[in-house]
Amino acid sequence: MNLTPPKPAGNASAGDRAALVLREAGIGLALLLLVGVFALLSPIFLTAGNLTNIFTQISINVVLAVGMTFVILIGGIDLSVGSVMAFCAVVAGTVLKLDGLEPAAAISLALAASIAVGAACGLVNGAVSAWWAIPSFIVTLGMLNIARGAALQWTQARSIYEFPDAFNDFGSATLLGVPAIFLVALALVAAGWFVLNRTVFGRLVYAIGNNEEAVRLAGHNVRFHKIAAFVICGAAVGVGAVIYMTRLTIASPISGIGFELNAIAAVIIGGTSLSGGRGSIIGTLLGACIIGVLANGLILIGMSDFLRQMVTGFVIILAVVLDVLRARLAQRAAR
């Protein structure tokens, strides 16, 4: 056992202080640096209109990434969120089109149906993975195909459209210049932060990611908490599906392709460890902002689609490398 007392903060070396900044504030500093670079390269980057576009573009990814954070914190992963989102959307679109419902009732029922479908898919993912100890990568890969096929079968591969005006208008509505859908995303971020930092459930999510066997030996129901994490992820996908519908004003069975990759990237760039047990919702929000700022800025400076894909891939790899570096810094600080 190491009985050496920790060094007083005032006596910390410059290297220790630099390590602390990188470990605790590196993501925020990276975002500020990125904003500064694009502000210099493009005169319209910091205009109100462009910032509104960025907030609008990242809203759906923030919602999906909040749910994904819970799954990755327990050491899992969910590859099905894009397909599940399409399935949630077509179910919600069908509810919105039911005859005899007032717009407010139709919208409320559609949102409830979308969340229920997403939660049900998450329940299947979590139950199969937890009860039979099957890697979530494999389970959710199967759900990816099941949900996409279900969405196509539900609509006979056709899109659903002509929703109530109140529903469509929400996708472009703003409050004090901030997109309404981004405010919804921030509300989910706040809820996710509260659950992870102020509840016993949240503490156990972190504990399972760090040492699942220790949590089990302490008498906690590990299966329940792992399944719950996937259900939360699925419910967040249901919310994201409705937000996406308000933006497109349609429900398409082929929507959401590749969205799972953006959500995973936001979580990892935001500092959550792929092995679980370490990360934060605020970091996920910053990670989604980095992806949005990067995509928007590269478009403004005229970079081609191919180069944008390459740069984004490089950033994701760099984030994983930094994750390893942060883990080593944390180990060194704990000594």
Side-chain angles (χ1 to χ4, degrees):
M1 180 181 296
N2 183 9
L3 298 178
T4 304
K7 292 183 291 185
N11 296 333
S13 67
D16 289 337
R17 287 194 293 269
L20 180 64
V21 170
L22 176 61
R23 185 158 49 90
E24 300 296 337
I27 303 301
L29 292 176
L31 177 59
L32 291 176
L33 177 63
L34 203 59
V35 169
V37 169
F38 285 125
L40 293 174
L41 294 177
S42 173
I44 66 172
F45 180 79
L46 289 180
T47 60
N50 190 58
L51 292 177
T52 299
N53 287 336
I54 293 175
F55 289 144
T56 299
Q57 291 163 3
I58 69 173
S59 296
I60 297 167
N61 194 30
V62 169
V63 172
L64 300 181
V66 166
M68 187 70 73
T69 302
F70 281 82
V71 171
I72 293 181
L73 279 174
I74 64 169
I77 200 164
D78 191 344
L79 300 179
S80 67
V81 296
S83 297
V84 171
M85 192 180 83
F87 188 28
C88 292
V90 296
V91 172
T94 301
V95 174
L96 279 173
K97 297 285 289 181
L98 290 177
D99 295 330
L101 289 178
E102 293 294 326
I107 293 171
S108 299
L109 288 175
L111 177 60
S114 183
I115 294 175
V117 170
C121 292
L123 177 63
V124 173
N125 285 334
V128 174
S129 177
W131 278 95
W132 283 277
I134 301 174
S136 56
F137 177 91
I138 301 300
V139 177
T140 58
L141 184 62
M143 180 58 74
L144 180 151
N145 292 285
I146 293 171
R148 183 69 64 185
L152 291 167
Q153 180 64 33
W154 186 278
T155 63
Q156 298 300 306
R158 292 191 292 267
S159 296
I160 306 172
Y161 51 92
E162 294 184 352
F163 301 139
D165 291 338
F167 180 81
N168 293 334
D169 292 343
F170 186 80
S172 57
T174 60
L175 179 64
L176 300 177
V178 180
I181 60 175
F182 183 67
L183 294 177
V184 173
L186 288 182
L188 287 183
V189 169
W193 179 90
F194 179 83
V195 171
L196 287 176
N197 293 277
R198 293 292 184 267
T199 68
V200 174
F201 173 82
R203 295 170 190 261
L204 287 174
V205 166
Y206 280 104
I208 290 171
N210 279 310
N211 193 328
E212 179 179 329
E213 183 63 14
V215 175
R216 186 186 67 80
L217 292 175
H220 297 287
N221 190 334
V222 172
R223 285 176 178 169
F224 169 80
H225 289 85
K226 294 178 75 172
I227 293 171
F230 279 95
V231 171
I232 290 172
C233 183
V237 171
V239 175
V242 174
I243 293 176
Y244 195 49
M245 289 166 62
T246 66
R247 290 294 302 158
L248 293 183
T249 68
I250 64 171
S252 172
I254 60 172
S255 63
I257 295 176
F259 279 35
E260 62 278 351
L261 301 180
N262 287 332
I264 294 170
V267 177
I268 301 307
I269 290 174
T272 299
S273 173
L274 271 173
S275 59
R278 180 164 47 85
S280 71
I281 289 289
I282 301 303
T284 293
L285 173 62
L286 294 176
C289 289
I290 286 176
I291 293 175
V293 166
L294 185 64
N296 180 272
L298 293 179
I299 290 174
L300 290 181
I301 65 176
M303 185 170 288
S304 68
D305 290 342
F306 300 112
L307 288 177
R308 291 205 307 271
Q309 292 288 337
M310 292 174 64
V311 170
T312 303
F314 172 78
V315 170
I316 294 172
I317 294 174
L318 179 61
V320 176
V321 173
L322 289 176
D323 175 56
V324 175
L325 178 60
R326 279 194 298 267
R328 292 177 180 174
L329 291 173
Q331 292 175 354
R332 190 178 76 174
R335 295 195 187 105

